[in-house]
Amino acid sequence: SGAIVVAKTAAAGRSLRGQFADRTVSKVYLAVVARPPPPPEEGEDELVIDAPIGRHPTRRERMAVAFDGKRAVSRVRVLATDGKTCAVQVAIDTGRTHQIRVHLAHVGSPIVGDA
């Protein structure tokens, strides 16, 4: 899923293009995961997943955490849980293909409905 941003004026369009080009736009997403993610590091309030993403080694149509991939950083906060599934907020510092789904699966908390 995603969002489309539309500017009402030419000036707003220029401003938006500049913000995206300068990477000053914050991108925050919500997801429901099958299991709670690991706890954050001591003294932190969010789990930071800093793991490179590239093509899956055998299923080339899929993306995966790959040592030779491009750097990707996701910040995960648990919003609610029923003990099984969890609602999480994910802020991404980078924008790799399928970054959220790959990172959450990598830490053992796949998005509900993902294979």
Side-chain angles (χ1 to χ4, degrees), residues 15-114:
S15 176
L16 284 169
R17 280 191 298 280
Q19 290 173 58
F20 277 96
D22 296 341
R23 296 191 171 273
T24 57
V25 175
S26 62
K27 300 170 190 165
V28 180
Y29 302 84
L30 299 175
V32 177
V33 295
R35 288 177 288 290
E41 294 289 323
E42 181 85 25
E44 296 294 325
D45 59 352
E46 62 189 9
L47 171 66
V48 177
I49 307 169
D50 188 345
I53 294 177
R55 293 275 172 202
H56 189 280
T58 57
R59 298 181 68 190
R60 303 297 294 163
E61 73 280 1
R62 298 190 85 166
M63 303 304 282
V65 168
F67 72 92
D68 61 344
K70 293 183 179 179
R71 184 167 190 245
V73 179
S74 301
R75 301 174 186 284
V76 182
R77 291 178 191 258
V78 173
L79 301 176
T81 184
D82 64 5
K84 297 176 191 167
T85 60
C86 264
V88 296
Q89 173 183 295
V90 184
I92 58 173
D93 293 355
T94 51
R96 305 292 173 222
T97 302
H98 300 298
Q99 176 174 330
I100 295 168
R101 115 179 330 110
V102 169
H103 274 174
L104 290 172
H106 178 68
V107 299
S109 299
I111 294 175
V112 170
D114 270 4

